[in-house]
Every structure is written in C-alpha cells, then in structure tokens.
Amino acid sequence: MLLAAACFATLLLGLGVFRILSSAGRGSSARSEVPYRTLEARLSAPGAEGYKPLEHGMAGATEPGQQTSQAAIEPMPMGGADLIVGYLEQGDRYGAERALLLLQKSPHTPAFESQRAVALLRLGKPEEALQRADAALSEAPQHAEAMWNRGLALRDLRLKLAAAKAFTQVASLKEPGWADEATQRAEALRSDVFSHRDRWKAVVQAGSALLENVGAPLPEDFSDTPIARLFFYDAVRSAPTPEAVLTLLPLARKLDEHTGATVLEAYVQRVAAADFEQRGPLARGYAALALGRLSTPEKEGLLEQILSSQEDDLILGVLLHTETVANHLELFTAKATAMKDPWFRLLAAQERAALDKREGRLERAVRTLREVIPLCEGHGMEYRCLSIQRDLSILLMKLHEFQDARQCAEKAWQEARVSNEWQLEQDMLWSLSQVARLVKDTSLSHAYLEEYLERNERKPDAVRRVHENLASIAFQALQVDEARQEIDEALATGLPLSPSGALTLAEIARLKGAPGDEAHLAKALENPSLKRSPGERAVDTHALGRFFIERDLARGRELLWRSIQQAAAPGLEEDLAANRARAYSFTSLILEAGRRGAFNEALELFSKERDQQLPSRCFLAATADSERTLLIVRGADSKLLGWHDETRREPLPERLDGLIQENLLAAIQPCESVEVLARPPLHGRAGLLPLTMAWSYLTRTTAPRTPRTGSAVHLIVSDVELPPGADVRPLPSWVPSIGPDEKHITRLGADATPSRVRAAMKDATEIDLMAHGFIHERSDASYLLLSPERGERELLVPQVRDIPLRGAPFVVLAACHAAHTSYALHDPLSLPAAFIQAGARGVLAATEQIPGQEANVFFNQVRDRMRAGDPPALALRDIRVQWLEKDPKQTWLTSILLFE
C-alpha cells in the first residue's frame, strides 16, 4: 500500500515528493524523533498530540513542482492521511496547496476540518481557516487542535482578544506543554491589546485635562494621536484669557506639522486677539459645557448667548455639544466655511449627511461624504476622516452595498489601529460585525462580536448589542433555543433593547415567547428619546405588529397596515427603511392569511403589494420567512390551490428542488408556461420548478419601460482583459447569433471597460455579456469582471440598477454565478433583478459555474428559438431538455434561470 501511495504521489507531483513520502511512510515514529515542531498550527494526526516547542524559521522552502489540477486528485488511497500531514509539515505554500487538494476528497470530520484550517492558515486565508475550525468545533467542541487553530485564525484576523480567549480555552484542557504555550500566547495577545488601549486612554485623559488647565502637561506623543486635534479645538474654545490661548501655540504648531500648513497657529493667534471681556465668560461657560457640568436649562441659556455672539468657533462648538446642528445647519455650514480649515469642511459634510440619514435620504448622504473624502488624502485629518469612513460604512450597509461597506470599514479599521484611535477602532469593528452578519457569514460575524465583547465586557450597552446580534444570527439559522438564550442575555443588562433587538425579540417570541416580552417591546419601541427617521419608525411599528399578530389578530393587523401606511408617506419612495417596513409587513399579513387557509386573501395581498394584476392561470406565488412557507398556484383551469407550513426548523437550501407539493405541481403541469412570483428570499433560486416545465421569475415591480423606437441594436461584450496573475483562464471569444434586422456593436478586449459597457447598454435592444462572474466571499454580492480602467474593473448590482436601459433589452449573462441572489427579505438583490429594474425585458443567467464554449452555443440556440417566435420560457425549456437528453451530466444547465 505504501508503494501505491508512492506511485500516486509521483504521478501528481514529480521529483519533489520523495522527502514527503519518506515522512508519510514513517508516520508518527518519524515525528516522534524530532525534538521540536516547525508549525505554529496543530495537526490532527497520530504522534502529533504530544507537545514539542516551536522552532521558529524551520518551515521548509517552497519546492518546485507542477501545478496539480483538481481533476487529477482521485479518492484518497490508504495512507493518504499521512500524505496530507507530510505536506502540511513542510510548512510552505506548496505543501499547503497540495494538502488542500487532497483534503477536497476527505470526509468532513473534525480532524480533517482542522487540517483544512492548517492549510488555509499557511495560504494566508484566515477567514476560511476560521470557518473550517468552527466547523470542526461544532461537531467536537473540545477538539484541542481545532481550538488552537481557531486561535491562530483569529490572531491573523487581528482579533487578538478573541484569539486570547481561544487559547485560554485550550489551556483549560490542561494538556502537558500545550497548556503552557497557550497561556503564554493568551497573555501576550492581551498585553498587546491593553497596552494599545492604555496609550489611547492617556491621550484622552491629557486632552480632557486641557479643558481644565491649558497648561496641563501632555504626553510626549500627544500630538501624534489623531484625536489630539479634537481636544485642541475644545481647549482653545475653553481658554478664558488671551494668555491661556497663547499657551496652546506650541501644540498648534506641532499639529500643523502633520498637514504642512499653519492653519491652527493662525487660529490661535486670531482667538488670542479677540475681545475677552466679551469672549471670556462665554469661554468659561463653554468649558463647563464640554466637561458635562451644565444642566439642560443652563445648556439652553449658553446656546442662546453664544449664538448671539460673533465667535464663530464657539458657535460651531456649542452646536456640536448641544446636538443642535440639524436645527441650524445653514449657520453651521457658513461658520465652518469661515474657519478656512479643512477639518470643519469635513465636519459640515458629516453633519449634512447625518441629517439626510435621519430623514431617510441615504443615497444623498453617501454622495455628500464621498465628495469630501479627497480632503483626507493628506495628513492631520485622520480623526475626522476615520469618523467619516465609519458613517459611510453604516450608510452603505443600509443601502445593502455590502462589498463597499466592508472595504470602507476594513480600511478604516486598519488605519484606526495604526493611528492608535481606540474608540474609532471599536466603531469599525462593530461595522465589520454588522456586514458579516447581514451577509450571513456566521463564523466571521461571531468572531467580530466576540472580539467586541471582550473589549467592552464592562459596558452594559455593548453587552446588550452583542447579545442582540447573536440572537439574530441564531434565529436566522433557526436555532431557536440559542436565540432565546441570547436575547435573554441582552435583556439581563437591564437596558431597553435597540429597535433592531426588538424586531429580533418579536421573531423569537413567535416560537419561544416569555411572559415579559410585550413589556420589553414597548420599552424598546415607545421610547420618545429615540431619534428615528420616518422610515425607521415604520419598521418599529412593523415590529409591534409582527409580535401582536400572533396573539391579538385585530391589533396585529392594525399595526401592520399602519406600518404600510407610514412607509407610503410622501418623500419615502426611495427610503430603504420604509421599503423594508412595507415588505416585512406584507410578509406577516400574507403568511397569517396562509395559516388560516385564506389563500385567495393571501393572493390579493401579493397583488396589492406589487400594485399589479396577477395572472389568472398558470401562476405560482411563493414566499418564505424563517420557519414558514406559503405556496399558492392558479392551475391551467384557474383553480386556486395553496399550501402553508410552519414546521421547518432549518434554513432552506440554496436550491429549491422538491419544495413544491405534488398536488400543486399537478395543477400547473398542463400549462404551456408558468409565471412565478417568488418574494425574497426565494426569488432567484434554482430548482423551484421541474426542468420539464417552462417557467420564469416575475421580477419587475414597476411598469415596464417603453422601448425606444428604431432598428434593433445587439451589444456583444467579450474577450475581457484579465488582470496579470489572475487565477482564472481567459474565456473563449463569444460568437453571437445576430438577427437579420439587427445592428450589432461590440465592446471587446481593452474596450470592454465598466464605463464603456454601461454606456453601450443604454440603447441596446439585445445584450450578450460574456465575462467571468464571481461572488464576493465576504459580501455575498455577485459581480462581473470587465477590462480595467482607472483601477475599476467590476460591474456591480448598484451600477446596473442605475443604467437607463432605453432599449428594453433581452440580456444574456454568460458568466458564472451571474444569477446569484444575495440574502434579503425586502428586495431581490442580484444582477438579473438589477437589469430588470433598469428596464430590461428579460434576462438569462446561471446561479452556478458554466463552461464558456458550451454556454455560447446553448444561449445562441435559445435566442434563435426566441427569434422564431417561441416565448423565452419555452425556448429555454426545450433547448435545455434537448441538451440534457444528449448528456445528462451537464448539471450546469439546471442552474440557468429566466427573469422577466
């Protein structure tokens, strides 16, 4: 059997494999002869349990060898586990890649999952390593090697306190040697984080002392921390005499050195020359305000006095500290401009964006912040710019632009760590946890939340927020007991739940309620101090309606319809919170009707939600929410049938094969074609109806665009230029099927850039777009890779949605994963849906990987049948059946969907 393993390895890897095979052949005895280990990670193999100290720098160098294709890996021979260990023990990328290929054929046991984590760590993929370690621990919570490797993954993700907790858990197992090293690692990680925090605290304490005494001593590195500039402004405003102001001149000069300007020195000189008989009392009042020593009436009196003065800087400061900028935004903007300091231009933009956010104008808020980001390219504005990036990431999340939100938050998180901005670092860590949660990246969201909790475990508000989020994650996975436990942990802080926590409680209470739930919801949502936009208030009303419809039907319905009415208020047409409130409320109303078997009423609600007449026959309506599913059909004879279920206790799979009941299928089987209205999150999933049926997803929610007049224009996008070193092969040239009356235009090679492709789409009546399609691993968004221009090369969902497709084109997306739909409950988030929303009359796309050459022929045949007069659904069905009859192994064909 050793000979068989040797032959197998030689076939794969050539001459570089003999050292590995030698190690594999000797197995645990070879490992026991070495007094040290070369890997930080822990292997799950006989002989690897015993502790050996780590010998740094001993990992093997990358060995030469040809690239091994996945196809070359057969089911693992006897001894394959040792072969994997041999590759991993090399400690280099080459060995990790070979091991990972072999592990693709290994079972998903805790031991092999932990080995996968080891390989992924060496390949610099800590996010994936974390997922594999978590998978191992979900099956075996005390698996020491997986626990250790999870700690390394968390450390590499810069989640040091979460990593320290993981190593402390390893130490608790009391394994000889391993426990001591785990303890040392945990202590070192905690020491690093807390020394970083303590340096920041020293700066904050010194900055606060300046408000009491401008001559207070400052740490040597005070001016190097971005938040120092914030304290400087407050210190100047609080200084009661010209002499006190001039005391801050050395600090002003040090801060000016970061920007290469003299704006702060000039500011100090200007204030010192002011009339302090007038300014002095205002400055003393301002200091008391900044130190939090004024009552509400005193704050109001000081605000009135300062607003009546000519002291521009004090006006800016008092509006900020009294949180009244929104009431005086024009004045604030004018005074900020008068300061001739880019800090205040950034601040004014931030305040305008905050007001737009509160009033639901999210896209305008994003534009406002992006317009001033170029001011951040220099130095000295880091604190203000990091806070802008924080606000921008939150806005992008609310717009479901998760890829941009994640990139923005990650960049700011890195910069905050480097700049020693502890509090902003926590803010960005929270943003990252929210992106991961919203795209259902469970391992990563848990990791970020764990780190956040470790850093803030003594802050009740932070503890509440973390457990609310953990409850939401658990409920999404239909882990109801865990969700209840987490929401109870949030309630145990004694603080009111946040509005999002209240919505989570309303969900959990449906399956596992508790006596005090109603009181907790009222406390959370009826708080008059909550600053909520009109759209957010509609969501809050929905949360109450969702809770009560399970207990008091009349009250629940009234609240849900009130939420819908609130969401329909003038000015909220583009408000995403309002749109979500409307969609969520219709979900609850539709499913409640389904529970009663009132399928006609449910179908009327489907129609009312879309404000469209639904087909009277050959039609399927489908919706699902957590554990509940509702399916309604109008058969070939227009007869109405329905099915409602609320017993499911695990999330629906990506493919929906077998979801439709046999009696419902029988009713629509005679139909020539079936129109499917599937509400998110069912929309855009493959397998909903059998391949033998012709069907399409009804996607448009608005009136169709009137096509432009004139000759047909067929756009072909192909031969996209790949970036150097791309891990994908060039696609074959697209050979289009051009109709007799069509004019065709191309965007090929270097010409196939995002902006030129978008421009060419506007007047096209047919579009063939052949490119590599991908799913952003950590944002769950699909995109197409086009030729580069000025650093841009991706065609994204938000970009497509904004293109006015005047030609109402039929679009063929010949790209892998082009039909992938991100998880959402209020709106289908996919490239096909974006094309339909932009004005396309139909889209063909696949949810999985597709072969380029075969896809070209397949899509052309479908289009030819359409030109011959066949409806798109019939053309797709017939051509696909023909292909599968010839070769049933072409499973990629089952992932192609039609959107109309």
Side-chain angles (χ1 to χ4, degrees), residues 514-532:
D517 287 346
E518 181 177 342
H520 289 307
L521 281 172
K523 187 178 179 182
L525 298 175
E526 296 174 5
N527 183 351
S529 66
L530 276 178
K531 294 181 178 179
R532 304 285 281 166

Side-chain angles (χ1 to χ4, degrees), residues 467-659:
H467 287 293
E468 284 178 351
N469 276 260
L470 292 173
S472 174
I473 293 167
F475 193 79
Q476 283 182 2
L478 287 176
Q479 296 167 345
V480 180
D481 290 341
E482 182 180 338
R484 184 74 236 188
Q485 181 180 347
E486 293 292 351
I487 204 68
D488 286 343
E489 290 278 358
L491 292 168
T493 64
L495 299 175
L497 295 177
S498 70
S500 63
L503 183 55
T504 300
L505 174 60
E507 287 278 76
I508 295 169
R510 188 172 63 249
L511 297 180
K512 198 174 180 68
D517 287 346
E518 181 177 342
H520 289 307
L521 281 172
K523 187 178 179 182
L525 298 175
E526 296 174 5
N527 183 351
S529 66
L530 276 178
K531 294 181 178 179
R532 304 285 281 166
S533 72
E536 289 170 336
R537 285 196 291 272
V539 175
D540 297 345
T541 304
H542 161 77
L544 289 171
R546 177 166 284 223
F547 176 81
F548 280 110
I549 202 167
E550 304 294 326
R551 293 157 181 80
D552 182 340
L553 185 57
R555 186 178 179 188
R557 281 180 180 168
E558 188 275 327
L559 285 163
L560 292 170
W561 282 114
R562 189 195 308 171
S563 173
I564 291 169
Q565 290 168 355
Q566 288 174 325
L572 298 186
E573 293 81 7
E574 304 298 324
D575 187 298
L576 292 192
N579 291 341
R580 283 193 285 269
R582 185 177 188 275
Y584 297 168
S585 294
F586 270 109
T587 296
S588 293
L589 290 167
I590 289 169
L591 287 168
E592 188 280 323
R595 173 191 287 173
R596 289 185 283 110
F599 299 124
N600 234 325
E601 180 183 333
L603 205 55
E604 288 173 5
L605 288 165
F606 272 94
S607 177
K608 190 174 185 64
E609 180 184 23
R610 294 171 67 91
D611 194 24
Q612 290 180 348
Q613 190 69 33
L614 300 179
S616 60
R617 59 183 297 277
C618 296
F619 171 71
L620 165 65
T623 192
D625 181 36
S626 301
E627 80 286 1
R628 301 173 294 176
T629 309
L630 173 64
L631 305 170
I632 303 172
V633 300
R634 283 198 179 276
D637 57 1
S638 297
K639 184 179 178 181
L640 186 71
L641 292 175
W643 177 78
H644 175 269
D645 175 69
E646 51 188 35
T647 62
R648 184 163 38 82
R649 290 299 179 267
E650 60 183 23
L652 285 165
E654 276 306 304
R655 288 189 61 97
L656 299 177
D657 304 84
L659 180 65

